[in-house]
Amino acid sequence: MLKRQPIFPHVIEINHQAGHIIGSNVYLVYDGDQWLLIDIGYADTVEEVIDLIREMDFPLSQCQTIVASHADVDHIQGLAKAKQILRTTVTAHPLAAEALRRGDRLFSFAEIPAQNIDMELPPVEIEHEVNEGDRLRVGELELDVWLTPGHSSCQLCFRMGDLLFSGDNVFRDGCVGAIDAHHGSDLPAFVRSLQRIRASDAKWLLPSHGPYFRKEDRLLDAVITRLQRYQHMADFGTCAAEWPLMDQWEQELMAGKRPN
């Protein structure tokens, strides 16, 4: 049997348990023999993840569900395979569920023609749809479901005591999940989601990539300020709310002003 190395009581992160990076973060939340997974990663790492779970002496038959934090391929490509092995259910936000049921490769970033990205995304049935204010239960534990759109329209976070499983909202270095119009990114919503996290009394953030870290208001303030600027920058195309330079240029043209 493999010794369990929880990062917090009732929480194991699979990369941390393995001692090396397998892929995006996969969180195993457990109480007694019952457990659930938050995300699963790519299809080609599913067997390694499940082997680790088996070696930690978790009964595979006691997996309550696999929860999709959102519908990006690096988090969910392995859902169909893992569901078949574990004989369990899948839980997701309704917008993610719609995309996952049809195997939508564009929505999930499995297909990006301009970058020659072309990955399979097996469709998968979603048994449970959750939204803001719902709760996930495993044993005696409860996780509050937060809808935190911005990076993706279906991005979910999960609050359990002092912990917030924070998805792709923010990482320890101050980076955030990709901002992309094809993905349905929404900068004003992203700012609001980060402000919500900042205002919460959660003590630890457990992101979908990289190490977990203590919530620091100074870091979040800097990230929020940066994304507020993004709303007014042409760099972010249709994700931006406006491009002030165009208004300035129109005023200059009307006034007959020329560059100095």
Side-chain angles (χ1 to χ4, degrees), residues 57-219:
D57 202 30
F58 286 103
L60 299 191
S61 63
Q62 291 300 307
C63 179
Q64 305 300 294
T65 193
I66 306 172
V67 186
S69 66
H70 56 303
D72 285 2
V73 65
D74 54 331
H75 300 266
I76 51 77
Q77 188 194 38
L79 278 177
K81 185 175 182 179
K83 181 180 180 181
Q84 182 179 33
I85 294 171
L86 295 171
R87 299 177 183 271
T88 190
T89 62
V90 177
T91 300
H93 183 270
L95 293 176
E98 181 182 343
L100 293 169
R101 287 182 179 121
R102 66 175 182 263
D104 190 328
R105 299 195 308 140
L106 288 174
F107 184 85
S108 66
F109 283 163
E111 180 183 357
I112 307 178
Q115 294 182 319
N116 295 317
I117 293 175
D118 185 7
M119 291 180 277
E120 294 183 359
L121 186 67
V124 62
E125 181 53 41
I126 312 300
E127 287 78 11
H128 309 295
E129 296 185 6
V130 292
N131 212 328
E132 171 69 35
D134 290 335
R135 288 183 175 178
L136 303 175
R137 290 179 173 84
V138 54
E140 297 298 317
L141 303 176
E142 289 190 344
L143 290 79
D144 293 325
V145 178
W146 291 12
L147 176 60
T148 55
H151 162 61
S152 169
S153 57
C154 57
Q155 174 71 75
L156 297 175
C157 290
F158 309 98
R159 176 72 187 269
M160 187 176 80
D162 290 336
L163 312 179
L164 182 67
F165 299 87
S166 50
D168 277 3
N169 279 294
V170 63
F171 308 118
R172 190 178 72 179
D173 62 356
C175 290
V176 300
I179 298 167
D180 189 286
H182 296 286
H183 194 43
S185 297
D186 183 322
L187 277 167
F190 212 152
V191 168
R192 290 192 295 271
S193 293
L194 289 167
Q195 289 171 332
R196 180 181 186 181
I197 293 171
R198 200 287 193 190
S200 78
D201 60 357
K203 295 181 179 178
W204 293 92
L205 301 184
L206 284 62
S208 295
H209 298 278
Y212 63 93
F213 58 102
R214 190 178 293 276
K215 183 173 82 74
E216 295 184 0
D217 292 345
R218 183 170 59 179
L219 171 68

Side-chain angles (χ1 to χ4, degrees), residues 242-255:
E242 61 177 352
W243 188 14
L245 177 61
M246 292 298 97
D247 292 333
Q248 295 171 13
W249 188 37
E250 183 174 15
Q251 292 172 7
E252 290 171 5
L253 289 172
M254 293 174 64

